[in-house]
């Protein structure tokens, strides 16, 4: 946003490698990034300009201007300017510190080192000094400094692997490959230095998945696409080095182009507050008009006669004009009903709450040393009003870690029977996990405790061996052995990783692979299998197979896949085993495990050769290649022999179940929006208790057209109503047609739990305008909604839909870049600072490390914030009405002359000094019930959702309260002062004494009121409340002292007043009576409210008090056990096409490659393959990325 | 990424009561016993205080004589500003039925005179009045300078409109012997007013101190001649002037004019009998439909309080008791069928 202001719009970028002079003439942005807004010189003007754009500040500025007009001014200018300057300074300081930190982080990023090719050598250079056209060298695990054109890499064919987590949140590695013409440059510095290719490409943009350009070098042109580009923000992985040429730098990089301005979020309280301020302003104008009319009449009736008497030489006046001036004067006087300090105080309170979130040790995740972080400080109270939570699955609900839990081999279950390891430590002691130390290749983190399996392996049970062999052979994992001989696996999908690691730990170690062989170590002996065919996974097949020839020459087909698919392919002889295994699978699924069926087949040599020939034919065929191959695959994968099944746990994050249960109790609706497959999503739904078998019905919407989807939705709804009630059906239908406000009524009348599961493609139709309402209505009546296979854009659309039509507060929680759009569009976005990239966190308003902290964030921090903010606002409006409206009453006694009741200094200081701290302390520290109680009774959360603590009604109550107080505050002294004298006979009914009496009563009344409002009296509250009163008196006495008058006779004319007034008994009696009269009704009202209509928190407080003497009771929430129902799913998360990658050998390390001849052979068809692969991946990725970038 | 390199310990929030929101605190709770006993106590206090105040207000002896219309001829004379230099006196006889015990204070009382108008209150110069610079007429709008540019001293609308009636109280000792009741014109102002806020300019004699200034247009004599007998009471520190300058909060107000000098016949106060006020009628009130009166009053422990405060206290006390009785009734009724928390239905 900064680069574009000077330069004309760039249409096309021309970059020449290694030629800074050439590139300089285009004035491309260099690699320095600025996220900071100001520098020392521009800070003041820009910041002030920004601040006065805010309505409140502008309003007070205009008041200030009004005050400078002598005819209107009824208050000295300092009454406004002091608070205004204070407010502006505070904001400026905050902005300055924010910007300082941005400068710091900019500097830190800008000063990262990278190796740049300058002249003929590599030099260490800071990131900010990298220029477009430079060639830089990157090493493994380094962040990429700018958008680069990949030139060459350590890997064959100029391949390199990158992790794009920070860009799009995907952790699986992506392949980029250099043009073959540049990849031959290799590491040769001198050749690289001579490289002078000219790149002509698109202008900087924010599309992460598109790149168009042409490289002209050595008289030939090569077209460039996204596959040749590595973007800033990625991390280089598994590639020891690579060289790249900088195309876009700094602000032009796609990363920076994507980090657009974040939408400014406001809370609903904010909006309400703005409305109220407008109303108050209207009220103010009304008061002004009334008083102005009063003034006109008064001037006409009385003032006229006074004028000659009091104002000797004034001729101009007519009463209407005087009324007009009075209007403005009263606007100035009464402006304190909308105090400047309101906005500042709200900010301060929110900041305090944010700090509490940051400081909370109970939201600190020690394993990764991440505390919770409130990244936005302005949304806290909205956390107490959440009605809908939209959650991502992977990495949010689950840990994204797969563990091999159980298996069923040949009809026998292995693996711990009881999976409640955490809950029952004594069992662990008895049942030690298996000792894998005998196996040097074992993965230390692997935990699997069943000695029977070990025993079976040792005894050489052929089925068990076959089972493990299959696990070690049938997969797409890549292995890597480092210098120390440690094996590490590169996995595409964590499921596979879990299986291969399990086999490895059980003695069948996958060692290495070449395109034609797989080497495994079977219980200590190396065995090399010949890989004959690789029947890759895809979504329709839901299985994968390998065909290998073992050293004995037998050909075997090993297959693993979804049980539903695989069971149909079994040989009839398997029937008994099938039923047994099927039961086992159901059992596994019931525990929320992901299951796979495992089967093999022995193949005839001849049969296989025939088949292979057919496959080759099919591959070469021009037409229907895909179909023919699929048919062939189908043909060979039959008559399988069942071996068993595996169960992998997609580990839920700790505490997810408790959190979900508790949030559901708090009436928060949780929707899962995931890119995962339906089965996986449903499994997780069951695993974390959002779906249960007790549910009346789970609707699954999977239609493929708008019509179908609508039909399905309608049917589901009918179903729901039909089951629910027959008698009042018509009634409900009638209600439904009414406004959205009435919908909750409908909702509540639905008894029973329903769940809705909707697929991404159906969702696309459902989100169309006319089906939308059906979807929304149904979804909102369901207890749980699961959307699977949704794109990031759809996630955002769903959030928007609910946000727009339900006027409910939404929260989105996710960890990956695919959740960014949803996080940004929800009212509150929460980023899980997990393993995936930082994108989600950067876009979020709050971040923490574990899903379970959501419970505390909402139920404790959110609730408290909301509670405190509401209390604060109620009190604040009350206080200012009480403070200001006395002027209105006084108007009737002072000829509507805009005379203030109070001393001007009092007006200046009242809001910012005398009464600000106690209410701030309440706003920051108050607690109605303790955090433990908030967690134990999620129902306490409901008032926030229903907006009960501060709404228009409450506001009117506060207003009425304030008006009443101002009435008491004015008329009691008025009555008492009428015709009275001091105890020395001297008068006390003078204006100044009256002002002091009123001011003192006001300060005391509002202090007593805050004391009553504060339900949690900490030391700080004590200090602030007593301190405020003390401050009031000390300032009062100082300002009324002889010394001050001596120095500034004009500013402090109240000399001696405090002393005289406050030594009169009569005045203290007045103050006391005023206090009693203003507080007693409130107290009575509150007492009756608590007594007659106690809220839950009142009850809990009472109960707590009753319990205080007794032992603190631990609340026992029933442990929710997962119910068992048969669900199974093929849970491969990996992409199609990896089999091809493996069999082609493209991704093999040089040392693993077959002899040179083989290399040449593969080289010849490599290009076609790579392009194929790239096409495939970009197709899938781009459709997904495209939608996302729109949102970004 | 760079974050992880930092030491883990530093990122763990401190375990302090403040940061963990565990500050020891007293939870304020409106329990029935507390509230009800508080209410009863407050009610009792207010009732008691109210009765005491009413009684003491009743004990005050006060006599007020409105002389706006009694001296109608003078009032008429003052209607027209041309007659400002014509003197007009009138005498108002009255009978005091009871002795006024103790200190007796004489007030003048104005009805409908808005001393609290914004621009009126503003129209004064404190720095002039404290004697720093007699020519400083800063805020004294419309009474800053005379037509020929001489600064007015004291300037401003307040000073200009000073109450300038003289009121002399005579006691008819017998039907023929009238003696002037001795009155003190000092000690009627606040100490701070007399010695801090109002100061004559430094000079050996007053007229020279005010040289170069003009008297306010309504005044008949310059400020340094306010009290020709006592130079300590003349100029800005004239107590009548100071009293006037302390503007009243409401359009109806009384200001202390004189206090009884308790000598001779008056050591006990004002004895019952016939009195008369001799008033030099200077201050025009009919022009703004106001009224003026003279008040003689004694004091009580809380000053010259009116009945209002006592009544207000009594009413408040009664209301508080009423409230507490009904609250108690409601509470007791509730208690019988009260649900206690663990078993209660969640009702919001």
């Amino acid at each position: 946003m900064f680069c574009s202001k000077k330069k004309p719009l760039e249409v096309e970028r021309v970059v020449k490698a290694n030629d800074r002079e050439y590139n300089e003439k285009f004035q491309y942005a260099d690699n320095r990034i600025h996220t900071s807004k100001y520098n020392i010189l521009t800070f003041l003007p820009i910041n002030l300009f920004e601040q006065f754009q805010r309505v409140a500040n502008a309003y007070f500025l205009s008041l200030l201007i009004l005050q400078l007009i002598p005819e209107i001014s009824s208050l000295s200018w300092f009454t406004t300017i002091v608070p205004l300057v204070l407010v502006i300074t505070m904001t400026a300081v905050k902005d300055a510190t924010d910007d300082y930190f941005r400068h710091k982080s900019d500097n830190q990023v800008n000063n990262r080192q990278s190796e740049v090719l300058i002249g003929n050598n590599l030099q260490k250079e800071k990131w900010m000094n990298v220029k477009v056209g430079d060639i830089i060298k990157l090493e493994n695990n380094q962040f990429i400094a700018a958008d680069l054109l990949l030139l060459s890499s350590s890997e064959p064919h100029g391949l390199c692997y990158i992790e794009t987590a920070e860009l799009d949140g995907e952790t699986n590695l992506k392949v980029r490959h250099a043009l073959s013409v540049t990849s031959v440059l290799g590491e040769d510095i001198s050749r690289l230095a001579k490289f002078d290719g000219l790149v002509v490409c698109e202008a900087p943009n924010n599309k992460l998945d598109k790149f168009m350009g042409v490289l002209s070098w050595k008289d030939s042109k090569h077209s460039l696409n996204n596959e040749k580009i590595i973007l800033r923000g990625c991390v280089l992985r598994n590639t020891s080095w690579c060289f790249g040429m900088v195309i876009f730098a700094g602000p032009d990089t796609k990363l920076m182009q994507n980090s657009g301005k974040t939408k400014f979020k406001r809370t609903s309280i904010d909006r309400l507050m703005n409305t109220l301020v407008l109303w108050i302003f209207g009220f103010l104008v009304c008061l002004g008009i009334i008083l102005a009319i009063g003034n006109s009449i008064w001037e006409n009736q009385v003032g006229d006669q006074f004028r000659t008497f009091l104002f000797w030489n004034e001729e101009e006046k007519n009463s209407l004009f005087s009324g007009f001036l009075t209007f403005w004067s009263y606007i100035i006087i009464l402006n304190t009903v909308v105090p400047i300090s309101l906005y500042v105080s709200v900010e301060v309170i929110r900041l305090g709450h944010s700090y509490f979130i940051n400081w909370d040790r109970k939201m600190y995740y020690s394993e990764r040393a991440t505390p919770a972080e409130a990244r936005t400080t302005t949304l806290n109270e909205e956390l107490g009003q959440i009605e809908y939570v939209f959650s991502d699955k992977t990495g949010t609900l689950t840990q994204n870690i797969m563990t091999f839990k159980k298996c069923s081999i040949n009809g026998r279950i292995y693996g711990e029977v009881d999976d409640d390891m955490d809950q029952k430590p004594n069992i662990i002691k008895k049942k030690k996990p298996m000792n894998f130390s005998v196996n040097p290749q074992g993965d230390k983190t692997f935990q699997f405790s069943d000695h029977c399996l070990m025993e079976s392996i040792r005894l050489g049970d052929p089925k068990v061996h076959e089972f493990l062999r299959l696990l070690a052979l049938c997969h797409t994992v890549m292995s890597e052995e480092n210098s120390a001989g440690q094996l590490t696996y590169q996995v595409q999908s964590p499921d596979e990783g879990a299986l291969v690691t399990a086999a490895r730990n059980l003695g069948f170690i996958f060692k290495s692979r070449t395109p034609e062989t797989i080497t495994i170590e079977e219980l200590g002996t190396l065995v090399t299998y010949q890989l004959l065919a690789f029947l890759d996974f895809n979504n329709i097949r839901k299985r994968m197979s390998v065909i290998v020839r073992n050293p004995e020459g037998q050909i075997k087909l090993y297959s693993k896949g979804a049980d539903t698919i695989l069971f149909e392919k079994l040989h009839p002889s398997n029937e008994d085993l099938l039923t047994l295994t099927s039961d086992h699978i159901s059992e596994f699924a019931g525990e929320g495990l992901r299951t796979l069926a495992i089967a093999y087949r022995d193949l005839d040599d001849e049969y296989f050769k025939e088949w292979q020939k057919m496959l080759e034919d099919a591959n070469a065929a021009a037409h229907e290649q895909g179909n023919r191959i699929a048919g062939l695959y189908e043909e060979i994968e039959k008559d399988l022999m069942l071996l068993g099944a595996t169960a992998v746990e997609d580990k839920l994050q700790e505490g997810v179940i408790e959190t979900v249960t508790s949030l559901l109790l708090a009436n928060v609706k949780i929707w899962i929006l995931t890119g995962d497959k339906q089965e996986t999503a449903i499994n997780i739904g069951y695993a974390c208790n959002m779906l249960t078998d007790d549910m009346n019905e789970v609707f699954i919407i999977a239609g493929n057209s708008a019509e179908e989807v609508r039909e399905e939705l309608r049917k589901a709804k009918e179903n729901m109503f039909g089951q629910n009630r027959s008698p009042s059906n018509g009634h409900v239908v009638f209600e439904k047609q009414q406004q959205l406000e009435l919908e909750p009524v409908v909702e509540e009348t639905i008894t029973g739990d329903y769940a809705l599961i909707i697929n991404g493609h159906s969702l696309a139709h459902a989100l169309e305008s006319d089906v939308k309402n059906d979807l929304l209505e149904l979804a909102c009546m369901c207890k749980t909604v699961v959307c699977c296979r949704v794109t990031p854009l759809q996630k955002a659309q769903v959030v928007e839909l609910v946000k727009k039509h339900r006027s409910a507060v939404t929260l989105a929680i996710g960890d990956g870049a695919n959740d960014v759009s949803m996080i940004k569009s929800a009212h509150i976005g929460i980023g899980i600072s997990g393993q995936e990239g930082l994108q989600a966190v950067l876009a979020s308003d709050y971040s923490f490390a574990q899903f379970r902290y959501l419970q505390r964030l909402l139920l404790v921090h959110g609730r408290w914030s909301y509670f405190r903010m509401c209390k604060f606002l109620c009190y604040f409006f009350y206080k200012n009405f009480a403070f200001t409206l006395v002027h209105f009453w006084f108007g009737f006694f002072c000829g509507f002359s805009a005379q203030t009741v109070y001393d001007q200094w009092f007006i200046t200081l009242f809001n910012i000094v005398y009464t600000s701290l106690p209410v701030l302390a309440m706003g920051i520290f108050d607690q109605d019930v303790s955090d433990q109680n908030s967690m134990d009774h999620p129902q306490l959360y409901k008032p926030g959702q229903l907006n009960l603590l501060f709404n228009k009604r409450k506001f009117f109550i506060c207003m009425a309260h304030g008006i009443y107080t101002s009435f008491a505050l004015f008329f009691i002294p008025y009555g008492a002062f009428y015709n009275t004298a001091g105890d020395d006979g001297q008068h006390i009914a003078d204006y100044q004494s009256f002002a002091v009496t009123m001011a003192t009563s006001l300060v005391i009344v509002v202090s007593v009121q805050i004391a009553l409002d504060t339900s949690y009296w900490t030391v700080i509250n004590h200090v602030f409340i007593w301190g405020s009163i003390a401050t009031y008196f000390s300032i009062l006495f100082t300002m009324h002292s002889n010394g001050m008058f001596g120095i500034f006779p004009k500013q402090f004319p109240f000399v001696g007043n405090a002393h005289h007034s406050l030594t009169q008994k009569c005045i203290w009696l007045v103050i006391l009576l005023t206090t009693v009269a203003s507080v007693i009704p409130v107290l009575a009202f509150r007492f009756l409210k608590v007594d007659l209509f106690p809220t839950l928190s009142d009850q809990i407080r009472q109960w707590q008090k009753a319990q205080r003497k007794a032992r603190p009771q631990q609340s026992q929430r029933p442990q929710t056990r997962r119910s068992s129902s048969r669900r199974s799913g093929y849970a491969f998360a990996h992409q199609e096409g990896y089999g091809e990658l493996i069999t082609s050998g493209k991704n093999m390390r040089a040392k693993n490659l077959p002899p040179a001849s083989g290399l040449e052979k593969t080289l010849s068809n490599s290009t076609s393959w790579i392009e194929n692969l790239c096409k495939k991946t970009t197709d899938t990725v781009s459709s997904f990325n495209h939608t996302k970038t729109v949102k970004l | 990424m760079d974050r992880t390199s930092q030491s883990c310990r530093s990122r763990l929030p401190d375990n302090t009561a403040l940061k963990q929101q565990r500050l020891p605190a007293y939870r304020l709770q409106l329990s029935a016993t507390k509230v009800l006993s508080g209410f009863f106590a407050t009610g009792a206090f207010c009732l008691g205080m109210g009765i005491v105040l009413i009684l003491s207000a009743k004990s005050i002896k006060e006599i007020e004589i409105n002389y706006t219309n009694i001296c109608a001829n003078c009032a008429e004379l003052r209607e027209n500003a041309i007659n400002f230099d014509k003197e007009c006196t009138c005498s108002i006889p009255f009978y005091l039925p009871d002795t006024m015990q103790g200190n007796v204070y004489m007030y003048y009382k104005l009805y409908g005179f808005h001393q609290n108008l914004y621009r009126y209150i503003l129209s004064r110069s404190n720095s002039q009045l404290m004697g720093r610079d007699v020519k400083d007429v800063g805020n004294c709008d419309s009474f800053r300078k005379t037509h020929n540019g001489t600064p007015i001293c004291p300037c401003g609308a307040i000073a200009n409109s000073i109450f300038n009636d003289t009121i002399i109280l005579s006691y008819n000792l017998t039907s023929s012997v009238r003696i002037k009741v001795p009155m003190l014109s000092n000690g009627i102002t606040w100490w701070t007013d007399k010695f801090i806020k109002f100061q004559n300019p430094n000079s050996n004699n007053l007229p020279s101190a005010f040289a170069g200034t003009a008297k306010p247009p309504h005044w008949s004599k310059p400020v340094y001649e306010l009290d020709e007998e006592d130079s300590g009471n003349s100029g800005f520190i004239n107590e009548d002037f100071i009293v006037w300058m302390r503007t009243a909060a409401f359009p109806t107000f009384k200001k202390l004019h004189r206090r009884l000098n308790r000598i001779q016949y008056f050591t006990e106060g004002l004895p019952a009998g016939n009195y008369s006020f001799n008033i030099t009628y200077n201050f025009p009130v009919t022009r703004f439909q106001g009224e003026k009166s003279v008040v003689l009053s004694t004091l009580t422990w809380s000053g010259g309080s009116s009945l209002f405060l006592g009544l207000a206290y009594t009413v408040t006390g009664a209301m508080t008791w009423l409230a507490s009785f009904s609250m108690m009734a409601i509470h007791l009724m509730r208690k019988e069928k009260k649900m206690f928390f663990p078993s209660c239905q969640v009702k919001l």
Side-chain angles (χ1 to χ4, degrees), chain B residues 141-162:
Chain B
D141 262 345
S142 58
F143 295 98
R144 295 157 68 100
K145 293 187 176 167
T146 56
H147 295 295
N148 52 23
T150 330
I152 293 172
C153 181
C155 68
I158 311 179
N160 181 53
S161 61
I162 191 170

Side-chain angles (χ1 to χ4, degrees), chain A residues 215-234:
Chain A
L215 169 70
S216 325
W217 186 43
K218 288 185 183 167
D219 306 325
S220 59
K221 289 194 171 187
H222 311 270
S223 77
L224 302 175
N225 60 17
N226 196 37
E227 296 308 307
K228 317 273 184 294
I229 301 293
I230 23 185
L231 301 179
R232 181 176 181 141
C234 302

Side-chain angles (χ1 to χ4, degrees), chain B residues 263-278:
Chain B
I263 47 166
Q264 300 163 13
Y265 303 101
F266 308 102
T267 43
E268 293 297 310
L270 278 185
N274 283 309
Y275 291 84
S276 65
F277 282 120
N278 292 314

